[in-house]
Amino acid sequence: MSTPITAVKGVGPKKAESFGRLGITTVEELLFALPFRYEDRRHVCAISALSDGLKQVVFARLTRIYRPVRLGGRRTIVRASVADDSDSLTVVWHNQPYITRNLRVGDSFYFYGTYREANHVLFDPLLAKAETEKEGKENFLGLFPQYSLTDGLSQNARRDAVKQAFSLLSQVEDPYPSSWRIKAGWRPLYDLLKALHFPTSMQELDA
C-alpha cells in the first residue's frame, strides 16, 4: 500500500502539487526519484589555492560589504570582501539583494561558489555562518544530492522531504529474497536508497 506524499512533514497541498508535476505522488515514489548528480562540498580550500573555473568551498571572514548595485529591471549585484589566513577575495551575488540581511563584517562563513581567477572573484556562492571552521562542518560539508525541480520546489525542500520520508518509512519492499541478496553480497534496498540519496563518501556511492 502506497503512502501519499502529503504524509511527509512539511509537504502540504501546494508542495504536493509541485511534486505531482514531477510524477511524484507517494512517499515511495519520492524515495525512488534519485538524484541526477551530487555537489561535492567535502573539502575546504584556502583562498590562495583556489582553482579557476571550479565550484569550491572556502571558509573566510567577511571584511567589507559594498552598497548593492541596481541595474535595469530587477537586476542587482551585491559585492563583499572576505579573507582567510592565506589571501583575500571578492564575493559577488547576482539578483540576490536579500543576501545582505545575512551579512555582517567580522562574521565567518562557509562559501561555496565558482571561482574566476581573472577577477579573483567567487560568484553566487551558497553560504552558512559558522563561528569556527569546525563548527559548521556537519551541515555544510559533504556530498549533496541534486534533484530535478519545478516551480515551488528548491533543492533544500526536496532534500528535507526525502529525509522526512526515510523517517516515515522504516523499510521498502525488496524485490529479491534476503537469502539470494545475502549470497550476492547486496545490501537491503532501503539501505541502498539511503546511500544513493545521502552518500557519506564516493566509495559508498560507487558501491
Side-chain angles (χ1 to χ4, degrees):
M1 185 176 177
S2 298
T3 308
I5 189 72
T6 49
V8 174
K9 185 179 178 181
V11 178
K14 283 192 174 182
K15 275 190 181 174
E17 185 179 336
S18 296
F19 276 114
R21 287 196 290 272
L22 296 172
I24 300 170
T25 60
T26 68
V27 177
E28 291 79 7
E29 288 171 344
L30 178 62
L31 295 185
F32 279 92
L34 301 177
F36 62 87
R37 67 178 179 86
Y38 300 84
E39 277 187 353
D40 188 351
R41 292 194 239 152
R42 291 174 296 166
H43 308 294
V44 179
C45 190
I47 291 176
S48 62
L50 288 169
S51 299
D52 184 46
L54 299 182
K55 294 190 78 170
Q56 294 148 99
V57 178
V58 298
F59 180 76
R61 183 181 70 261
L62 191 66
T63 58
R64 183 175 179 182
I65 305 169
Y66 298 88
R67 186 184 298 275
V69 176
R70 300 194 179 278
L71 307 174
R74 294 186 175 184
R75 294 179 302 157
T76 60
I77 295 176
V78 173
R79 293 170 58 242
S81 295
V82 303
D84 63 10
D85 292 337
S86 70
D87 202 351
S88 60
L89 178 72
T90 299
V91 180
V92 171
W93 290 274
H94 294 92
N95 306 320
Q96 300 179 59
Y98 53 83
I99 204 80
T100 56
R101 296 197 295 265
N102 302 316
L103 303 178
R104 188 175 66 181
V105 171
D107 285 346
S108 294
F109 297 85
Y110 283 104
F111 299 92
Y112 175 70
T114 301
Y115 175 66
R116 296 298 180 189
E117 186 176 11
N119 309 101
H120 204 39
V121 171
L122 196 68
F123 283 103
D124 298 312
L126 301 174
L127 79 164
K129 183 180 175 183
E131 294 298 325
T132 65
E133 184 174 334
K134 184 178 180 180
E135 178 190 80
K137 278 187 174 182
E138 297 80 10
N139 295 324
F140 197 79
L141 301 185
L143 289 166
F144 286 79
Q146 300 294 291
Y147 299 97
S148 298
L149 300 177
T150 187
D151 289 345
L153 285 179
S154 65
Q155 292 294 347
N156 283 340
R158 277 210 62 168
R159 282 195 290 267
D160 288 345
V162 173
K163 285 179 182 177
Q164 293 296 330
F166 278 115
S167 299
L168 193 64
L169 295 184
S170 59
Q171 60 182 1
V172 295
E173 184 178 352
D174 202 311
Y176 298 106
S178 59
S179 58
W180 190 94
R181 180 173 40 76
I182 291 169
K183 186 177 180 180
W186 288 7
R187 296 160 64 184
L189 181 57
Y190 183 83
D191 293 345
L192 291 175
L193 287 171
K194 263 193 172 180
L196 283 166
H197 284 285
F198 303 113
T200 58
S201 67
M202 289 303 297
Q203 289 80 5
E204 182 180 37
L205 186 58
D206 289 341

PDB file of all heavy atoms in Angstrom, residues 114-135:
ATOM      1  N   THR A 114      31.588  29.424  -7.635  1.00  0.00           N
ATOM      2  CA  THR A 114      32.522  29.247  -8.748  1.00  0.00           C
ATOM      3  C   THR A 114      33.590  30.340  -8.717  1.00  0.00           C
ATOM      4  O   THR A 114      33.271  31.536  -8.699  1.00  0.00           O
ATOM      5  CB  THR A 114      31.774  29.288 -10.092  1.00  0.00           C
ATOM      6  OG1 THR A 114      30.783  28.260 -10.117  1.00  0.00           O
ATOM      7  CG2 THR A 114      32.745  29.082 -11.253  1.00  0.00           C
ATOM      8  N   TYR A 115      34.848  29.942  -8.752  1.00  0.00           N
ATOM      9  CA  TYR A 115      35.963  30.878  -8.673  1.00  0.00           C
ATOM     10  C   TYR A 115      36.464  31.239 -10.069  1.00  0.00           C
ATOM     11  O   TYR A 115      36.657  30.360 -10.920  1.00  0.00           O
ATOM     12  CB  TYR A 115      37.103  30.269  -7.865  1.00  0.00           C
ATOM     13  CG  TYR A 115      38.351  31.119  -7.835  1.00  0.00           C
ATOM     14  CD1 TYR A 115      38.363  32.358  -7.213  1.00  0.00           C
ATOM     15  CD2 TYR A 115      39.529  30.674  -8.449  1.00  0.00           C
ATOM     16  CE1 TYR A 115      39.506  33.132  -7.184  1.00  0.00           C
ATOM     17  CE2 TYR A 115      40.678  31.441  -8.421  1.00  0.00           C
ATOM     18  CZ  TYR A 115      40.659  32.678  -7.792  1.00  0.00           C
ATOM     19  OH  TYR A 115      41.793  33.445  -7.779  1.00  0.00           O
ATOM     20  N   ARG A 116      36.671  32.553 -10.286  1.00  0.00           N
ATOM     21  CA  ARG A 116      37.269  33.038 -11.530  1.00  0.00           C
ATOM     22  C   ARG A 116      38.565  33.764 -11.194  1.00  0.00           C
ATOM     23  O   ARG A 116      38.563  34.803 -10.540  1.00  0.00           O
ATOM     24  CB  ARG A 116      36.313  33.995 -12.255  1.00  0.00           C
ATOM     25  CG  ARG A 116      35.016  33.337 -12.725  1.00  0.00           C
ATOM     26  CD  ARG A 116      35.270  32.235 -13.732  1.00  0.00           C
ATOM     27  NE  ARG A 116      34.028  31.607 -14.183  1.00  0.00           N
ATOM     28  CZ  ARG A 116      33.978  30.507 -14.919  1.00  0.00           C
ATOM     29  NH1 ARG A 116      35.096  29.917 -15.301  1.00  0.00           N
ATOM     30  NH2 ARG A 116      32.817  29.994 -15.281  1.00  0.00           N
ATOM     31  N   GLU A 117      39.653  33.189 -11.671  1.00  0.00           N
ATOM     32  CA  GLU A 117      40.978  33.709 -11.323  1.00  0.00           C
ATOM     33  C   GLU A 117      41.217  35.100 -11.899  1.00  0.00           C
ATOM     34  O   GLU A 117      41.870  35.939 -11.260  1.00  0.00           O
ATOM     35  CB  GLU A 117      42.046  32.739 -11.830  1.00  0.00           C
ATOM     36  CG  GLU A 117      43.455  33.101 -11.402  1.00  0.00           C
ATOM     37  CD  GLU A 117      44.459  32.052 -11.841  1.00  0.00           C
ATOM     38  OE1 GLU A 117      44.104  31.162 -12.639  1.00  0.00           O
ATOM     39  OE2 GLU A 117      45.609  32.140 -11.378  1.00  0.00           O
ATOM     40  N   ALA A 118      40.693  35.376 -13.095  1.00  0.00           N
ATOM     41  CA  ALA A 118      40.961  36.651 -13.757  1.00  0.00           C
ATOM     42  C   ALA A 118      40.515  37.833 -12.904  1.00  0.00           C
ATOM     43  O   ALA A 118      41.177  38.878 -12.860  1.00  0.00           O
ATOM     44  CB  ALA A 118      40.263  36.690 -15.114  1.00  0.00           C
ATOM     45  N   ASN A 119      39.376  37.703 -12.229  1.00  0.00           N
ATOM     46  CA  ASN A 119      38.866  38.776 -11.387  1.00  0.00           C
ATOM     47  C   ASN A 119      39.072  38.522  -9.896  1.00  0.00           C
ATOM     48  O   ASN A 119      38.744  39.367  -9.078  1.00  0.00           O
ATOM     49  CB  ASN A 119      37.359  38.971 -11.643  1.00  0.00           C
ATOM     50  CG  ASN A 119      37.034  39.112 -13.115  1.00  0.00           C
ATOM     51  OD1 ASN A 119      36.582  38.163 -13.753  1.00  0.00           O
ATOM     52  ND2 ASN A 119      37.288  40.292 -13.665  1.00  0.00           N
ATOM     53  N   HIS A 120      39.596  37.338  -9.576  1.00  0.00           N
ATOM     54  CA  HIS A 120      39.761  36.913  -8.181  1.00  0.00           C
ATOM     55  C   HIS A 120      38.420  37.034  -7.440  1.00  0.00           C
ATOM     56  O   HIS A 120      38.304  37.679  -6.399  1.00  0.00           O
ATOM     57  CB  HIS A 120      40.836  37.760  -7.495  1.00  0.00           C
ATOM     58  CG  HIS A 120      41.473  37.073  -6.315  1.00  0.00           C
ATOM     59  ND1 HIS A 120      41.771  35.730  -6.299  1.00  0.00           N
ATOM     60  CD2 HIS A 120      41.839  37.559  -5.090  1.00  0.00           C
ATOM     61  CE1 HIS A 120      42.318  35.419  -5.136  1.00  0.00           C
ATOM     62  NE2 HIS A 120      42.363  36.506  -4.390  1.00  0.00           N
ATOM     63  N   VAL A 121      37.407  36.404  -8.048  1.00  0.00           N
ATOM     64  CA  VAL A 121      36.029  36.522  -7.563  1.00  0.00           C
ATOM     65  C   VAL A 121      35.418  35.137  -7.384  1.00  0.00           C
ATOM     66  O   VAL A 121      35.647  34.228  -8.192  1.00  0.00           O
ATOM     67  CB  VAL A 121      35.158  37.340  -8.549  1.00  0.00           C
ATOM     68  CG1 VAL A 121      33.687  37.270  -8.172  1.00  0.00           C
ATOM     69  CG2 VAL A 121      35.610  38.792  -8.575  1.00  0.00           C
ATOM     70  N   LEU A 122      34.623  34.986  -6.329  1.00  0.00           N
ATOM     71  CA  LEU A 122      33.796  33.801  -6.121  1.00  0.00           C
ATOM     72  C   LEU A 122      32.358  34.212  -6.428  1.00  0.00           C
ATOM     73  O   LEU A 122      31.795  35.089  -5.770  1.00  0.00           O
ATOM     74  CB  LEU A 122      33.920  33.310  -4.683  1.00  0.00           C
ATOM     75  CG  LEU A 122      33.434  31.890  -4.393  1.00  0.00           C
ATOM     76  CD1 LEU A 122      34.349  30.863  -5.067  1.00  0.00           C
ATOM     77  CD2 LEU A 122      33.378  31.633  -2.897  1.00  0.00           C
ATOM     78  N   PHE A 123      31.762  33.572  -7.447  1.00  0.00           N
ATOM     79  CA  PHE A 123      30.458  34.005  -7.934  1.00  0.00           C
ATOM     80  C   PHE A 123      29.308  33.207  -7.308  1.00  0.00           C
ATOM     81  O   PHE A 123      29.348  31.984  -7.226  1.00  0.00           O
ATOM     82  CB  PHE A 123      30.379  33.857  -9.458  1.00  0.00           C
ATOM     83  CG  PHE A 123      31.118  34.935 -10.203  1.00  0.00           C
ATOM     84  CD1 PHE A 123      32.357  34.685 -10.771  1.00  0.00           C
ATOM     85  CD2 PHE A 123      30.576  36.207 -10.317  1.00  0.00           C
ATOM     86  CE1 PHE A 123      33.045  35.679 -11.452  1.00  0.00           C
ATOM     87  CE2 PHE A 123      31.248  37.201 -11.001  1.00  0.00           C
ATOM     88  CZ  PHE A 123      32.479  36.951 -11.560  1.00  0.00           C
ATOM     89  N   ASP A 124      28.282  33.946  -6.896  1.00  0.00           N
ATOM     90  CA  ASP A 124      26.986  33.416  -6.449  1.00  0.00           C
ATOM     91  C   ASP A 124      27.110  32.238  -5.490  1.00  0.00           C
ATOM     92  O   ASP A 124      26.481  31.184  -5.697  1.00  0.00           O
ATOM     93  CB  ASP A 124      26.143  33.011  -7.664  1.00  0.00           C
ATOM     94  CG  ASP A 124      25.832  34.198  -8.565  1.00  0.00           C
ATOM     95  OD1 ASP A 124      25.410  35.238  -8.037  1.00  0.00           O
ATOM     96  OD2 ASP A 124      26.025  34.077  -9.786  1.00  0.00           O
ATOM     97  N   PRO A 125      27.906  32.393  -4.431  1.00  0.00           N
ATOM     98  CA  PRO A 125      28.086  31.239  -3.545  1.00  0.00           C
ATOM     99  C   PRO A 125      26.907  31.014  -2.595  1.00  0.00           C
ATOM    100  O   PRO A 125      26.241  31.955  -2.171  1.00  0.00           O
ATOM    101  CB  PRO A 125      29.333  31.624  -2.741  1.00  0.00           C
ATOM    102  CG  PRO A 125      29.271  33.124  -2.673  1.00  0.00           C
ATOM    103  CD  PRO A 125      28.711  33.549  -4.005  1.00  0.00           C
ATOM    104  N   LEU A 126      26.674  29.740  -2.271  1.00  0.00           N
ATOM    105  CA  LEU A 126      25.882  29.412  -1.099  1.00  0.00           C
ATOM    106  C   LEU A 126      26.717  29.790   0.113  1.00  0.00           C
ATOM    107  O   LEU A 126      27.952  29.818   0.031  1.00  0.00           O
ATOM    108  CB  LEU A 126      25.582  27.913  -1.059  1.00  0.00           C
ATOM    109  CG  LEU A 126      24.824  27.315  -2.243  1.00  0.00           C
ATOM    110  CD1 LEU A 126      24.764  25.791  -2.090  1.00  0.00           C
ATOM    111  CD2 LEU A 126      23.438  27.902  -2.349  1.00  0.00           C
ATOM    112  N   LEU A 127      26.064  30.079   1.228  1.00  0.00           N
ATOM    113  CA  LEU A 127      26.849  30.427   2.404  1.00  0.00           C
ATOM    114  C   LEU A 127      26.180  29.918   3.666  1.00  0.00           C
ATOM    115  O   LEU A 127      24.962  29.703   3.707  1.00  0.00           O
ATOM    116  CB  LEU A 127      27.077  31.938   2.504  1.00  0.00           C
ATOM    117  CG  LEU A 127      25.954  32.829   3.039  1.00  0.00           C
ATOM    118  CD1 LEU A 127      26.517  34.188   3.420  1.00  0.00           C
ATOM    119  CD2 LEU A 127      24.854  33.012   2.006  1.00  0.00           C
ATOM    120  N   ALA A 128      26.987  29.724   4.699  1.00  0.00           N
ATOM    121  CA  ALA A 128      26.494  29.317   6.008  1.00  0.00           C
ATOM    122  C   ALA A 128      27.410  29.928   7.056  1.00  0.00           C
ATOM    123  O   ALA A 128      28.631  29.770   6.994  1.00  0.00           O
ATOM    124  CB  ALA A 128      26.463  27.809   6.143  1.00  0.00           C
ATOM    125  N   LYS A 129      26.813  30.628   8.010  1.00  0.00           N
ATOM    126  CA  LYS A 129      27.601  31.257   9.069  1.00  0.00           C
ATOM    127  C   LYS A 129      28.123  30.200  10.021  1.00  0.00           C
ATOM    128  O   LYS A 129      27.438  29.234  10.347  1.00  0.00           O
ATOM    129  CB  LYS A 129      26.728  32.259   9.824  1.00  0.00           C
ATOM    130  CG  LYS A 129      27.467  33.036  10.901  1.00  0.00           C
ATOM    131  CD  LYS A 129      26.526  34.008  11.596  1.00  0.00           C
ATOM    132  CE  LYS A 129      27.224  34.707  12.762  1.00  0.00           C
ATOM    133  NZ  LYS A 129      26.286  35.599  13.492  1.00  0.00           N
ATOM    134  N   ALA A 130      29.363  30.379  10.473  1.00  0.00           N
ATOM    135  CA  ALA A 130      29.976  29.464  11.428  1.00  0.00           C
ATOM    136  C   ALA A 130      31.041  30.220  12.211  1.00  0.00           C
ATOM    137  O   ALA A 130      31.869  30.910  11.619  1.00  0.00           O
ATOM    138  CB  ALA A 130      30.585  28.263  10.721  1.00  0.00           C
ATOM    139  N   GLU A 131      31.000  30.100  13.513  1.00  0.00           N
ATOM    140  CA  GLU A 131      31.991  30.797  14.336  1.00  0.00           C
ATOM    141  C   GLU A 131      33.394  30.265  14.078  1.00  0.00           C
ATOM    142  O   GLU A 131      34.367  31.009  14.051  1.00  0.00           O
ATOM    143  CB  GLU A 131      31.632  30.647  15.819  1.00  0.00           C
ATOM    144  CG  GLU A 131      30.336  31.341  16.233  1.00  0.00           C
ATOM    145  CD  GLU A 131      30.393  32.844  16.034  1.00  0.00           C
ATOM    146  OE1 GLU A 131      31.488  33.432  16.226  1.00  0.00           O
ATOM    147  OE2 GLU A 131      29.361  33.429  15.675  1.00  0.00           O
ATOM    148  N   THR A 132      33.498  28.960  13.894  1.00  0.00           N
ATOM    149  CA  THR A 132      34.781  28.340  13.584  1.00  0.00           C
ATOM    150  C   THR A 132      34.588  27.377  12.420  1.00  0.00           C
ATOM    151  O   THR A 132      33.465  26.952  12.130  1.00  0.00           O
ATOM    152  CB  THR A 132      35.339  27.552  14.783  1.00  0.00           C
ATOM    153  OG1 THR A 132      34.472  26.449  15.060  1.00  0.00           O
ATOM    154  CG2 THR A 132      35.448  28.445  16.022  1.00  0.00           C
ATOM    155  N   GLU A 133      35.674  27.015  11.762  1.00  0.00           N
ATOM    156  CA  GLU A 133      35.578  26.093  10.639  1.00  0.00           C
ATOM    157  C   GLU A 133      35.041  24.739  11.082  1.00  0.00           C
ATOM    158  O   GLU A 133      34.270  24.089  10.374  1.00  0.00           O
ATOM    159  CB  GLU A 133      36.950  25.916   9.988  1.00  0.00           C
ATOM    160  CG  GLU A 133      36.919  25.054   8.748  1.00  0.00           C
ATOM    161  CD  GLU A 133      38.262  25.011   8.055  1.00  0.00           C
ATOM    162  OE1 GLU A 133      39.047  25.974   8.198  1.00  0.00           O
ATOM    163  OE2 GLU A 133      38.534  23.999   7.385  1.00  0.00           O
ATOM    164  N   LYS A 134      35.378  24.318  12.276  1.00  0.00           N
ATOM    165  CA  LYS A 134      34.919  23.024  12.787  1.00  0.00           C
ATOM    166  C   LYS A 134      33.422  23.029  13.059  1.00  0.00           C
ATOM    167  O   LYS A 134      32.729  22.027  12.851  1.00  0.00           O
ATOM    168  CB  LYS A 134      35.684  22.678  14.060  1.00  0.00           C
ATOM    169  CG  LYS A 134      35.355  21.310  14.635  1.00  0.00           C
ATOM    170  CD  LYS A 134      36.199  21.032  15.868  1.00  0.00           C
ATOM    171  CE  LYS A 134      35.854  19.660  16.448  1.00  0.00           C
ATOM    172  NZ  LYS A 134      36.660  19.351  17.660  1.00  0.00           N
ATOM    173  N   GLU A 135      32.897  24.186  13.498  1.00  0.00           N
ATOM    174  CA  GLU A 135      31.517  24.263  13.965  1.00  0.00           C
ATOM    175  C   GLU A 135      30.493  23.881  12.901  1.00  0.00           C
ATOM    176  O   GLU A 135      29.541  23.163  13.163  1.00  0.00           O
ATOM    177  CB  GLU A 135      31.207  25.689  14.453  1.00  0.00           C
ATOM    178  CG  GLU A 135      29.774  25.898  14.908  1.00  0.00           C
ATOM    179  CD  GLU A 135      29.457  27.358  15.151  1.00  0.00           C
ATOM    180  OE1 GLU A 135      29.207  28.070  14.168  1.00  0.00           O
ATOM    181  OE2 GLU A 135      29.480  27.790  16.299  1.00  0.00           O
TER     182      GLU A 135
END
